Amino acid sequence: MNKHARNQVLVAGLILLTVISALMLGMAVKQDGMLRRQTYNHAAALHDLVLVARRWNASHGGAYLGHSGPGGKEAFERIGPEAMTREISELARGDALFSFHIASLDPLNPDNAADAWERTALEGFARGEKERAEVSTNGSGLRFRLMKPIYVEQSCLACHAQQGYRVGDVRGGISVSLPYDAVASSLRRNFIGMIVLAVLLLILFVLTLYFLIWRLMESLSQLNSDLASLNETKDRFLGMAAHDLRTPLAGVVGLAQLLQEEPLGPEQRQFVDGILASSERMLSLITDLLDVAKINRGRLDLNLQDADVAPLLSQAAEFIAPIAKKKGIALETKIAADAGSMKLDSKRILQVLDNLLSNAIKYSKAGTTVTIGAERSGGRLSIWVQDQGVGIAEKDLPKLFLEFSQTDSRPTAGEESHGLGLAIAKRLVELHGGTVHASSAPGKGSRFTIELPVSARSRETRR
Ligand code: HEC
């Protein structure tokens, strides 16, 4: 599998991992909240039970416990709500399941002194808090603790007034404590189980995805190599056919040129001219096809040499001048003084310029001007060909440089265009490390710009 596809699988896996982690975290938080609430309800029920028992005791003015005293005589002892609560709580303390405690910051009975946690809870109640519920650790492990305040009523003052209390004060509180270790560890076990499951699912998913993409890539790369070899066959065939056609055609051109030298009658001369024009057109098409085949097969090598830019452009303009003149089109050159020199394949750049210039002339009407110019900025040389011709429709611009592309624009004098010239020009410029692009205002003209990077070395040789 290639690197790109593997990265994509990894990214998909990562995204999934993030989503799953977020989901699990959310679930864990929710579950933790639910268990906490459940434990809270449990503790609150216990607390209320203690309150009810105290109220029952108080409503009877205390409970009386019978003892068999010394000498078999029966004796009764009165147990008030406070003592009852404390005694039951002492019993429950031995029980691992739950414990509770009546506590005060200012206890009558030192056994009822608040522990550290109860102290903060009671201080909170004094500030107006209504209850405190928390998971806290005490030496033996995690406990869920709930404490609610007990307020002073009128009836309490009978016994507690000397401590300085007033009605409404917080006299103390009842705290209930439940073991939370089991709950927390089952939560943890649950969470770990879920993580393991999610990771397994994720691995399964990534492996499946990986496998599927791998199979897809395999068949794609098979298809790709089939296509490449077909393309190669096509280009080879094209190259061979063009090459084999070129030699006899060059012969026809040569012979027709010789024939033109001969003394001929007007009709014969017309025929020979026709033969020459047609075979030259054919030869130029075949030469272009050969170039395309060569470029596509990577067989076109540039012959890079330092060349002065200005003379090269003038030469290109000179070549095309007769055609421009014939169509009544003015040719202008605007070459910046600092165009300098650079490393390039003059023959190929001339081919590119010839192509752009002959295109400009093809699509221009008599009386207009075609300009070729060059300027240097930064590390780049731009060469441009501007015409005042029919222009190119916006939608045609992107396909302008594709092989065999046809546009809506028509040559003004019925000239031919096989749609290879710009494709070849683009590839030749690209072989030089440059770019070519076109801009146009339909009806007003077009501008083709070539940008070539000037290497540091050629810039030095310029000085
Ligand atoms: C009959 C007297 C009496 C009355 C009435 C009374 N208490 Fe108490 N209270 C006591 C005694 C005695 C203790 C100590 C009990 C023990 O040994 O734990 C106590 C202890 C407490 C404690 C535990 C902290 C400590 O000081 O040891 C709280 C809280 C408490 N009383 C609240 C109240 C409230 C609230 C009322 C009114 C609803 C009230 N008491 C009414 C006698 C009384």
Side-chain angles (χ1 to χ4, degrees), residues 54 78 81-83 86 102-104 106-113 150-160 163 171-173:
R54 281 166 53 83
R78 181 189 169 277
E82 273 66 54
R86 179 176 45 76
I102 182 157
S104 172
D106 178 19
L108 285 177
N109 183 334
D111 283 348
N112 296 335
I150 305 174
Y151 298 100
V152 175
E153 297 161 15
Q154 191 59 48
S155 64
C156 319
L157 295 178
C159 305
H160 288 299
Q163 286 171 284
R171 168 70 188 95

PDB file of all heavy atoms in Angstrom, residues 54 78 81-83 86 102-104 106-113 150-160 163 171-173, ligand 1:
ATOM      1  N   ARG A  54     -34.978   9.333  66.011  1.00  0.00           N
ATOM      2  CA  ARG A  54     -34.787  10.354  67.045  1.00  0.00           C
ATOM      3  C   ARG A  54     -36.106  11.055  67.368  1.00  0.00           C
ATOM      4  O   ARG A  54     -36.423  11.305  68.530  1.00  0.00           O
ATOM      5  CB  ARG A  54     -33.775  11.415  66.571  1.00  0.00           C
ATOM      6  CG  ARG A  54     -32.319  11.001  66.671  1.00  0.00           C
ATOM      7  CD  ARG A  54     -31.449  11.931  65.886  1.00  0.00           C
ATOM      8  NE  ARG A  54     -31.660  13.340  66.251  1.00  0.00           N
ATOM      9  CZ  ARG A  54     -31.074  13.915  67.298  1.00  0.00           C
ATOM     10  NH1 ARG A  54     -30.209  13.223  68.028  1.00  0.00           N
ATOM     11  NH2 ARG A  54     -31.338  15.164  67.601  1.00  0.00           N
ATOM     12  N   ARG A  78     -33.582   6.125  81.502  1.00  0.00           N
ATOM     13  CA  ARG A  78     -34.128   6.905  80.399  1.00  0.00           C
ATOM     14  C   ARG A  78     -33.010   7.172  79.378  1.00  0.00           C
ATOM     15  O   ARG A  78     -31.927   7.602  79.739  1.00  0.00           O
ATOM     16  CB  ARG A  78     -34.683   8.247  80.903  1.00  0.00           C
ATOM     17  CG  ARG A  78     -35.270   9.061  79.782  1.00  0.00           C
ATOM     18  CD  ARG A  78     -35.625  10.473  80.234  1.00  0.00           C
ATOM     19  NE  ARG A  78     -35.947  11.312  79.086  1.00  0.00           N
ATOM     20  CZ  ARG A  78     -35.067  11.911  78.356  1.00  0.00           C
ATOM     21  NH1 ARG A  78     -33.784  11.801  78.616  1.00  0.00           N
ATOM     22  NH2 ARG A  78     -35.465  12.647  77.327  1.00  0.00           N
ATOM     23  N   PRO A  81     -32.903  11.082  72.775  1.00  0.00           N
ATOM     24  CA  PRO A  81     -32.581  10.912  71.342  1.00  0.00           C
ATOM     25  C   PRO A  81     -31.073  10.931  71.082  1.00  0.00           C
ATOM     26  O   PRO A  81     -30.565  10.129  70.307  1.00  0.00           O
ATOM     27  CB  PRO A  81     -33.239  12.114  70.657  1.00  0.00           C
ATOM     28  CG  PRO A  81     -34.186  12.693  71.645  1.00  0.00           C
ATOM     29  CD  PRO A  81     -33.798  12.237  73.013  1.00  0.00           C
ATOM     30  N   GLU A  82     -30.372  11.858  71.753  1.00  0.00           N
ATOM     31  CA  GLU A  82     -28.928  11.980  71.504  1.00  0.00           C
ATOM     32  C   GLU A  82     -28.199  10.721  71.907  1.00  0.00           C
ATOM     33  O   GLU A  82     -27.422  10.164  71.140  1.00  0.00           O
ATOM     34  CB  GLU A  82     -28.362  13.172  72.285  1.00  0.00           C
ATOM     35  CG  GLU A  82     -28.447  14.479  71.561  1.00  0.00           C
ATOM     36  CD  GLU A  82     -29.881  14.926  71.352  1.00  0.00           C
ATOM     37  OE1 GLU A  82     -30.653  15.006  72.326  1.00  0.00           O
ATOM     38  OE2 GLU A  82     -30.220  15.164  70.187  1.00  0.00           O
ATOM     39  N   ALA A  83     -28.461  10.277  73.126  1.00  0.00           N
ATOM     40  CA  ALA A  83     -27.788   9.083  73.614  1.00  0.00           C
ATOM     41  C   ALA A  83     -28.139   7.885  72.740  1.00  0.00           C
ATOM     42  O   ALA A  83     -27.276   7.063  72.405  1.00  0.00           O
ATOM     43  CB  ALA A  83     -28.181   8.833  75.068  1.00  0.00           C
ATOM     44  N   ARG A  86     -26.280   8.064  69.504  1.00  0.00           N
ATOM     45  CA  ARG A  86     -24.868   7.733  69.683  1.00  0.00           C
ATOM     46  C   ARG A  86     -24.687   6.243  69.902  1.00  0.00           C
ATOM     47  O   ARG A  86     -23.817   5.625  69.302  1.00  0.00           O
ATOM     48  CB  ARG A  86     -24.287   8.526  70.854  1.00  0.00           C
ATOM     49  CG  ARG A  86     -22.828   8.205  71.115  1.00  0.00           C
ATOM     50  CD  ARG A  86     -22.236   9.052  72.217  1.00  0.00           C
ATOM     51  NE  ARG A  86     -23.089   9.178  73.399  1.00  0.00           N
ATOM     52  CZ  ARG A  86     -23.235   8.203  74.307  1.00  0.00           C
ATOM     53  NH1 ARG A  86     -22.598   7.061  74.161  1.00  0.00           N
ATOM     54  NH2 ARG A  86     -24.024   8.397  75.342  1.00  0.00           N
ATOM     55  N   ILE A 102     -23.362  11.247  65.187  1.00  0.00           N
ATOM     56  CA  ILE A 102     -23.914  12.548  65.539  1.00  0.00           C
ATOM     57  C   ILE A 102     -22.740  13.373  66.041  1.00  0.00           C
ATOM     58  O   ILE A 102     -21.941  12.894  66.842  1.00  0.00           O
ATOM     59  CB  ILE A 102     -25.064  12.416  66.559  1.00  0.00           C
ATOM     60  CG1 ILE A 102     -25.634  13.806  66.861  1.00  0.00           C
ATOM     61  CG2 ILE A 102     -24.605  11.742  67.850  1.00  0.00           C
ATOM     62  CD1 ILE A 102     -27.051  13.736  67.388  1.00  0.00           C
ATOM     63  N   ALA A 103     -22.592  14.552  65.522  1.00  0.00           N
ATOM     64  CA  ALA A 103     -21.377  15.304  65.828  1.00  0.00           C
ATOM     65  C   ALA A 103     -21.686  16.772  66.026  1.00  0.00           C
ATOM     66  O   ALA A 103     -22.661  17.300  65.514  1.00  0.00           O
ATOM     67  CB  ALA A 103     -20.368  15.141  64.690  1.00  0.00           C
ATOM     68  N   SER A 104     -20.829  17.416  66.799  1.00  0.00           N
ATOM     69  CA  SER A 104     -20.989  18.849  67.048  1.00  0.00           C
ATOM     70  C   SER A 104     -19.620  19.466  67.216  1.00  0.00           C
ATOM     71  O   SER A 104     -18.636  18.788  67.540  1.00  0.00           O
ATOM     72  CB  SER A 104     -21.818  19.051  68.316  1.00  0.00           C
ATOM     73  OG  SER A 104     -21.809  20.430  68.661  1.00  0.00           O
ATOM     74  N   ASP A 106     -19.166  21.682  69.348  1.00  0.00           N
ATOM     75  CA  ASP A 106     -19.095  22.007  70.785  1.00  0.00           C
ATOM     76  C   ASP A 106     -19.876  20.930  71.545  1.00  0.00           C
ATOM     77  O   ASP A 106     -20.978  21.170  72.017  1.00  0.00           O
ATOM     78  CB  ASP A 106     -19.719  23.408  70.981  1.00  0.00           C
ATOM     79  CG  ASP A 106     -19.736  23.803  72.452  1.00  0.00           C
ATOM     80  OD1 ASP A 106     -18.965  23.189  73.242  1.00  0.00           O
ATOM     81  OD2 ASP A 106     -20.525  24.687  72.799  1.00  0.00           O
ATOM     82  N   PRO A 107     -19.340  19.712  71.577  1.00  0.00           N
ATOM     83  CA  PRO A 107     -20.136  18.577  72.077  1.00  0.00           C
ATOM     84  C   PRO A 107     -20.198  18.534  73.605  1.00  0.00           C
ATOM     85  O   PRO A 107     -19.246  18.915  74.284  1.00  0.00           O
ATOM     86  CB  PRO A 107     -19.390  17.361  71.546  1.00  0.00           C
ATOM     87  CG  PRO A 107     -17.974  17.816  71.430  1.00  0.00           C
ATOM     88  CD  PRO A 107     -17.991  19.301  71.188  1.00  0.00           C
ATOM     89  N   LEU A 108     -21.359  18.079  74.095  1.00  0.00           N
ATOM     90  CA  LEU A 108     -21.471  17.795  75.520  1.00  0.00           C
ATOM     91  C   LEU A 108     -20.679  16.551  75.836  1.00  0.00           C
ATOM     92  O   LEU A 108     -20.012  16.455  76.860  1.00  0.00           O
ATOM     93  CB  LEU A 108     -22.940  17.563  75.896  1.00  0.00           C
ATOM     94  CG  LEU A 108     -23.837  18.803  75.972  1.00  0.00           C
ATOM     95  CD1 LEU A 108     -25.269  18.375  76.284  1.00  0.00           C
ATOM     96  CD2 LEU A 108     -23.327  19.764  77.037  1.00  0.00           C
ATOM     97  N   ASN A 109     -20.796  15.614  74.921  1.00  0.00           N
ATOM     98  CA  ASN A 109     -20.099  14.350  75.098  1.00  0.00           C
ATOM     99  C   ASN A 109     -18.920  14.319  74.142  1.00  0.00           C
ATOM    100  O   ASN A 109     -19.088  14.460  72.946  1.00  0.00           O
ATOM    101  CB  ASN A 109     -21.081  13.212  74.767  1.00  0.00           C
ATOM    102  CG  ASN A 109     -20.442  11.841  74.990  1.00  0.00           C
ATOM    103  OD1 ASN A 109     -19.222  11.677  74.920  1.00  0.00           O
ATOM    104  ND2 ASN A 109     -21.279  10.852  75.229  1.00  0.00           N
ATOM    105  N   PRO A 110     -17.711  14.153  74.665  1.00  0.00           N
ATOM    106  CA  PRO A 110     -16.532  14.193  73.798  1.00  0.00           C
ATOM    107  C   PRO A 110     -16.575  13.139  72.680  1.00  0.00           C
ATOM    108  O   PRO A 110     -15.941  13.321  71.637  1.00  0.00           O
ATOM    109  CB  PRO A 110     -15.354  13.953  74.733  1.00  0.00           C
ATOM    110  CG  PRO A 110     -15.936  13.626  76.067  1.00  0.00           C
ATOM    111  CD  PRO A 110     -17.397  13.964  76.081  1.00  0.00           C
ATOM    112  N   ASP A 111     -17.340  12.046  72.868  1.00  0.00           N
ATOM    113  CA  ASP A 111     -17.474  11.046  71.798  1.00  0.00           C
ATOM    114  C   ASP A 111     -18.127  11.652  70.562  1.00  0.00           C
ATOM    115  O   ASP A 111     -18.027  11.108  69.469  1.00  0.00           O
ATOM    116  CB  ASP A 111     -18.350   9.872  72.253  1.00  0.00           C
ATOM    117  CG  ASP A 111     -17.567   8.946  73.177  1.00  0.00           C
ATOM    118  OD1 ASP A 111     -16.315   9.117  73.236  1.00  0.00           O
ATOM    119  OD2 ASP A 111     -18.193   8.086  73.811  1.00  0.00           O
ATOM    120  N   ASN A 112     -18.861  12.741  70.790  1.00  0.00           N
ATOM    121  CA  ASN A 112     -19.584  13.349  69.671  1.00  0.00           C
ATOM    122  C   ASN A 112     -18.784  14.437  68.965  1.00  0.00           C
ATOM    123  O   ASN A 112     -19.319  15.191  68.157  1.00  0.00           O
ATOM    124  CB  ASN A 112     -20.903  13.948  70.163  1.00  0.00           C
ATOM    125  CG  ASN A 112     -21.846  12.867  70.691  1.00  0.00           C
ATOM    126  OD1 ASN A 112     -21.743  11.714  70.294  1.00  0.00           O
ATOM    127  ND2 ASN A 112     -22.735  13.235  71.599  1.00  0.00           N
ATOM    128  N   ALA A 113     -17.483  14.502  69.309  1.00  0.00           N
ATOM    129  CA  ALA A 113     -16.654  15.516  68.646  1.00  0.00           C
ATOM    130  C   ALA A 113     -16.571  15.230  67.151  1.00  0.00           C
ATOM    131  O   ALA A 113     -16.533  14.078  66.726  1.00  0.00           O
ATOM    132  CB  ALA A 113     -15.249  15.515  69.255  1.00  0.00           C
ATOM    133  N   ILE A 150     -28.320  19.682  62.212  1.00  0.00           N
ATOM    134  CA  ILE A 150     -29.449  19.637  63.153  1.00  0.00           C
ATOM    135  C   ILE A 150     -29.559  21.030  63.759  1.00  0.00           C
ATOM    136  O   ILE A 150     -28.561  21.573  64.254  1.00  0.00           O
ATOM    137  CB  ILE A 150     -29.195  18.634  64.303  1.00  0.00           C
ATOM    138  CG1 ILE A 150     -28.885  17.260  63.734  1.00  0.00           C
ATOM    139  CG2 ILE A 150     -30.388  18.576  65.242  1.00  0.00           C
ATOM    140  CD1 ILE A 150     -28.483  16.271  64.819  1.00  0.00           C
ATOM    141  N   TYR A 151     -30.742  21.635  63.649  1.00  0.00           N
ATOM    142  CA  TYR A 151     -30.919  23.017  64.119  1.00  0.00           C
ATOM    143  C   TYR A 151     -31.511  23.031  65.527  1.00  0.00           C
ATOM    144  O   TYR A 151     -32.223  22.123  65.931  1.00  0.00           O
ATOM    145  CB  TYR A 151     -31.831  23.790  63.176  1.00  0.00           C
ATOM    146  CG  TYR A 151     -31.255  23.897  61.780  1.00  0.00           C
ATOM    147  CD1 TYR A 151     -31.703  23.060  60.774  1.00  0.00           C
ATOM    148  CD2 TYR A 151     -30.254  24.831  61.497  1.00  0.00           C
ATOM    149  CE1 TYR A 151     -31.177  23.141  59.505  1.00  0.00           C
ATOM    150  CE2 TYR A 151     -29.730  24.919  60.227  1.00  0.00           C
ATOM    151  CZ  TYR A 151     -30.182  24.080  59.227  1.00  0.00           C
ATOM    152  OH  TYR A 151     -29.657  24.155  57.976  1.00  0.00           O
ATOM    153  N   VAL A 152     -31.202  24.110  66.254  1.00  0.00           N
ATOM    154  CA  VAL A 152     -31.719  24.279  67.623  1.00  0.00           C
ATOM    155  C   VAL A 152     -33.171  24.753  67.564  1.00  0.00           C
ATOM    156  O   VAL A 152     -33.478  25.687  66.817  1.00  0.00           O
ATOM    157  CB  VAL A 152     -30.857  25.300  68.396  1.00  0.00           C
ATOM    158  CG1 VAL A 152     -31.467  25.581  69.768  1.00  0.00           C
ATOM    159  CG2 VAL A 152     -29.433  24.804  68.514  1.00  0.00           C
ATOM    160  N   GLU A 153     -34.019  24.036  68.260  1.00  0.00           N
ATOM    161  CA  GLU A 153     -35.421  24.484  68.391  1.00  0.00           C
ATOM    162  C   GLU A 153     -35.642  24.940  69.836  1.00  0.00           C
ATOM    163  O   GLU A 153     -34.780  24.741  70.696  1.00  0.00           O
ATOM    164  CB  GLU A 153     -36.368  23.319  68.056  1.00  0.00           C
ATOM    165  CG  GLU A 153     -36.227  22.843  66.612  1.00  0.00           C
ATOM    166  CD  GLU A 153     -36.782  21.432  66.391  1.00  0.00           C
ATOM    167  OE1 GLU A 153     -37.522  20.945  67.268  1.00  0.00           O
ATOM    168  OE2 GLU A 153     -36.436  20.813  65.361  1.00  0.00           O
ATOM    169  N   GLN A 154     -36.822  25.493  70.072  1.00  0.00           N
ATOM    170  CA  GLN A 154     -37.139  25.984  71.426  1.00  0.00           C
ATOM    171  C   GLN A 154     -36.937  24.889  72.467  1.00  0.00           C
ATOM    172  O   GLN A 154     -36.318  25.100  73.510  1.00  0.00           O
ATOM    173  CB  GLN A 154     -38.590  26.487  71.438  1.00  0.00           C
ATOM    174  CG  GLN A 154     -38.974  27.269  72.688  1.00  0.00           C
ATOM    175  CD  GLN A 154     -38.085  28.512  72.885  1.00  0.00           C
ATOM    176  OE1 GLN A 154     -37.874  29.291  71.960  1.00  0.00           O
ATOM    177  NE2 GLN A 154     -37.539  28.681  74.093  1.00  0.00           N
ATOM    178  N   SER A 155     -37.433  23.684  72.123  1.00  0.00           N
ATOM    179  CA  SER A 155     -37.429  22.582  73.100  1.00  0.00           C
ATOM    180  C   SER A 155     -36.024  22.179  73.508  1.00  0.00           C
ATOM    181  O   SER A 155     -35.809  21.630  74.594  1.00  0.00           O
ATOM    182  CB  SER A 155     -38.171  21.380  72.506  1.00  0.00           C
ATOM    183  OG  SER A 155     -37.459  20.920  71.365  1.00  0.00           O
ATOM    184  N   CYS A 156     -35.040  22.437  72.628  1.00  0.00           N
ATOM    185  CA  CYS A 156     -33.671  21.986  72.910  1.00  0.00           C
ATOM    186  C   CYS A 156     -33.035  22.831  74.015  1.00  0.00           C
ATOM    187  O   CYS A 156     -32.106  22.385  74.707  1.00  0.00           O
ATOM    188  CB  CYS A 156     -32.782  22.087  71.678  1.00  0.00           C
ATOM    189  SG  CYS A 156     -33.573  21.575  70.149  1.00  0.00           S
ATOM    190  N   LEU A 157     -33.486  24.080  74.126  1.00  0.00           N
ATOM    191  CA  LEU A 157     -32.811  25.024  75.015  1.00  0.00           C
ATOM    192  C   LEU A 157     -32.866  24.587  76.471  1.00  0.00           C
ATOM    193  O   LEU A 157     -31.999  24.950  77.261  1.00  0.00           O
ATOM    194  CB  LEU A 157     -33.412  26.426  74.834  1.00  0.00           C
ATOM    195  CG  LEU A 157     -33.169  27.023  73.442  1.00  0.00           C
ATOM    196  CD1 LEU A 157     -33.819  28.392  73.298  1.00  0.00           C
ATOM    197  CD2 LEU A 157     -31.673  27.119  73.144  1.00  0.00           C
ATOM    198  N   ALA A 158     -33.898  23.776  76.787  1.00  0.00           N
ATOM    199  CA  ALA A 158     -34.030  23.266  78.150  1.00  0.00           C
ATOM    200  C   ALA A 158     -32.708  22.679  78.629  1.00  0.00           C
ATOM    201  O   ALA A 158     -32.293  22.881  79.766  1.00  0.00           O
ATOM    202  CB  ALA A 158     -35.154  22.233  78.200  1.00  0.00           C
ATOM    203  N   CYS A 159     -32.044  21.916  77.754  1.00  0.00           N
ATOM    204  CA  CYS A 159     -30.789  21.271  78.154  1.00  0.00           C
ATOM    205  C   CYS A 159     -29.557  21.929  77.545  1.00  0.00           C
ATOM    206  O   CYS A 159     -28.450  21.809  78.067  1.00  0.00           O
ATOM    207  CB  CYS A 159     -30.790  19.799  77.782  1.00  0.00           C
ATOM    208  SG  CYS A 159     -32.184  18.892  78.448  1.00  0.00           S
ATOM    209  N   HIS A 160     -29.742  22.640  76.386  1.00  0.00           N
ATOM    210  CA  HIS A 160     -28.546  23.132  75.684  1.00  0.00           C
ATOM    211  C   HIS A 160     -28.330  24.641  75.784  1.00  0.00           C
ATOM    212  O   HIS A 160     -27.364  25.150  75.230  1.00  0.00           O
ATOM    213  CB  HIS A 160     -28.614  22.756  74.195  1.00  0.00           C
ATOM    214  CG  HIS A 160     -28.392  21.289  73.951  1.00  0.00           C
ATOM    215  ND1 HIS A 160     -27.223  20.627  74.283  1.00  0.00           N
ATOM    216  CD2 HIS A 160     -29.215  20.347  73.432  1.00  0.00           C
ATOM    217  CE1 HIS A 160     -27.318  19.354  73.965  1.00  0.00           C
ATOM    218  NE2 HIS A 160     -28.537  19.136  73.449  1.00  0.00           N
ATOM    219  N   GLN A 163     -25.053  26.245  76.815  1.00  0.00           N
ATOM    220  CA  GLN A 163     -23.938  26.264  75.840  1.00  0.00           C
ATOM    221  C   GLN A 163     -23.994  27.531  74.989  1.00  0.00           C
ATOM    222  O   GLN A 163     -23.144  27.730  74.131  1.00  0.00           O
ATOM    223  CB  GLN A 163     -24.011  25.036  74.916  1.00  0.00           C
ATOM    224  CG  GLN A 163     -23.581  23.741  75.612  1.00  0.00           C
ATOM    225  CD  GLN A 163     -23.886  22.533  74.744  1.00  0.00           C
ATOM    226  OE1 GLN A 163     -25.059  22.145  74.654  1.00  0.00           O
ATOM    227  NE2 GLN A 163     -22.860  22.001  74.113  1.00  0.00           N
ATOM    228  N   ARG A 171     -26.816  23.149  65.721  1.00  0.00           N
ATOM    229  CA  ARG A 171     -26.344  22.547  66.974  1.00  0.00           C
ATOM    230  C   ARG A 171     -25.292  21.482  66.670  1.00  0.00           C
ATOM    231  O   ARG A 171     -24.381  21.241  67.457  1.00  0.00           O
ATOM    232  CB  ARG A 171     -27.576  21.952  67.682  1.00  0.00           C
ATOM    233  CG  ARG A 171     -27.301  21.047  68.858  1.00  0.00           C
ATOM    234  CD  ARG A 171     -26.751  21.826  70.049  1.00  0.00           C
ATOM    235  NE  ARG A 171     -26.324  20.913  71.096  1.00  0.00           N
ATOM    236  CZ  ARG A 171     -25.075  20.492  71.232  1.00  0.00           C
ATOM    237  NH1 ARG A 171     -24.149  20.908  70.398  1.00  0.00           N
ATOM    238  NH2 ARG A 171     -24.747  19.666  72.206  1.00  0.00           N
ATOM    239  N   GLY A 172     -25.452  20.872  65.522  1.00  0.00           N
ATOM    240  CA  GLY A 172     -24.520  19.812  65.130  1.00  0.00           C
ATOM    241  C   GLY A 172     -25.058  19.171  63.878  1.00  0.00           C
ATOM    242  O   GLY A 172     -25.790  19.807  63.112  1.00  0.00           O
ATOM    243  N   GLY A 173     -24.726  17.909  63.662  1.00  0.00           N
ATOM    244  CA  GLY A 173     -25.236  17.254  62.471  1.00  0.00           C
ATOM    245  C   GLY A 173     -25.114  15.753  62.568  1.00  0.00           C
ATOM    246  O   GLY A 173     -24.414  15.242  63.454  1.00  0.00           O
TER     247      GLY A 173
HETATM  248  C1  HEC B   1     -33.320  16.488  77.991  1.00  0.00           C
HETATM  249  C2  HEC B   1     -32.201  17.294  77.691  1.00  0.00           C
HETATM  250  C3  HEC B   1     -31.911  17.505  76.213  1.00  0.00           C
HETATM  251  C4  HEC B   1     -32.749  18.044  75.329  1.00  0.00           C
HETATM  252  C5  HEC B   1     -34.159  18.576  75.428  1.00  0.00           C
HETATM  253  C6  HEC B   1     -32.000  18.058  74.100  1.00  0.00           C
HETATM  254  N1  HEC B   1     -30.748  17.505  74.273  1.00  0.00           N
HETATM  255 FE1  HEC B   1     -29.325  17.359  72.932  1.00  0.00          FE
HETATM  256  N2  HEC B   1     -28.095  16.421  74.249  1.00  0.00           N
HETATM  257  C7  HEC B   1     -28.404  16.176  75.545  1.00  0.00           C
HETATM  258  C8  HEC B   1     -27.356  15.395  76.164  1.00  0.00           C
HETATM  259  C9  HEC B   1     -27.338  14.890  77.558  1.00  0.00           C
HETATM  260  C10 HEC B   1     -26.402  15.159  75.164  1.00  0.00           C
HETATM  261  C11 HEC B   1     -25.171  14.315  75.294  1.00  0.00           C
HETATM  262  C12 HEC B   1     -25.603  12.887  74.888  1.00  0.00           C
HETATM  263  C13 HEC B   1     -24.522  11.866  74.700  1.00  0.00           C
HETATM  264  O1  HEC B   1     -24.103  11.313  75.734  1.00  0.00           O
HETATM  265  O2  HEC B   1     -24.119  11.655  73.550  1.00  0.00           O
HETATM  266  C14 HEC B   1     -26.898  15.831  73.977  1.00  0.00           C
HETATM  267  C15 HEC B   1     -26.217  15.826  72.774  1.00  0.00           C
HETATM  268  C16 HEC B   1     -26.690  16.469  71.650  1.00  0.00           C
HETATM  269  C17 HEC B   1     -25.977  16.472  70.429  1.00  0.00           C
HETATM  270  C18 HEC B   1     -24.667  15.781  70.153  1.00  0.00           C
HETATM  271  C19 HEC B   1     -23.473  16.644  70.390  1.00  0.00           C
HETATM  272  C20 HEC B   1     -23.074  16.750  71.831  1.00  0.00           C
HETATM  273  O3  HEC B   1     -23.204  17.920  72.334  1.00  0.00           O
HETATM  274  O4  HEC B   1     -22.667  15.761  72.459  1.00  0.00           O
HETATM  275  C21 HEC B   1     -26.724  17.214  69.590  1.00  0.00           C
HETATM  276  C22 HEC B   1     -26.371  17.515  68.107  1.00  0.00           C
HETATM  277  C23 HEC B   1     -27.897  17.602  70.265  1.00  0.00           C
HETATM  278  N3  HEC B   1     -27.869  17.165  71.561  1.00  0.00           N
HETATM  279  C24 HEC B   1     -28.901  18.341  69.671  1.00  0.00           C
HETATM  280  C25 HEC B   1     -30.107  18.588  70.341  1.00  0.00           C
HETATM  281  C26 HEC B   1     -31.207  19.261  69.709  1.00  0.00           C
HETATM  282  C27 HEC B   1     -31.205  19.805  68.261  1.00  0.00           C
HETATM  283  C28 HEC B   1     -32.216  19.315  70.558  1.00  0.00           C
HETATM  284  C29 HEC B   1     -33.609  19.876  70.343  1.00  0.00           C
HETATM  285  C30 HEC B   1     -34.359  19.237  69.259  1.00  0.00           C
HETATM  286  C31 HEC B   1     -31.732  18.675  71.772  1.00  0.00           C
HETATM  287  N4  HEC B   1     -30.457  18.247  71.609  1.00  0.00           N
HETATM  288  C32 HEC B   1     -32.489  18.554  72.882  1.00  0.00           C
HETATM  289  C33 HEC B   1     -29.508  16.605  76.177  1.00  0.00           C
HETATM  290  C34 HEC B   1     -30.654  17.178  75.574  1.00  0.00           C
END
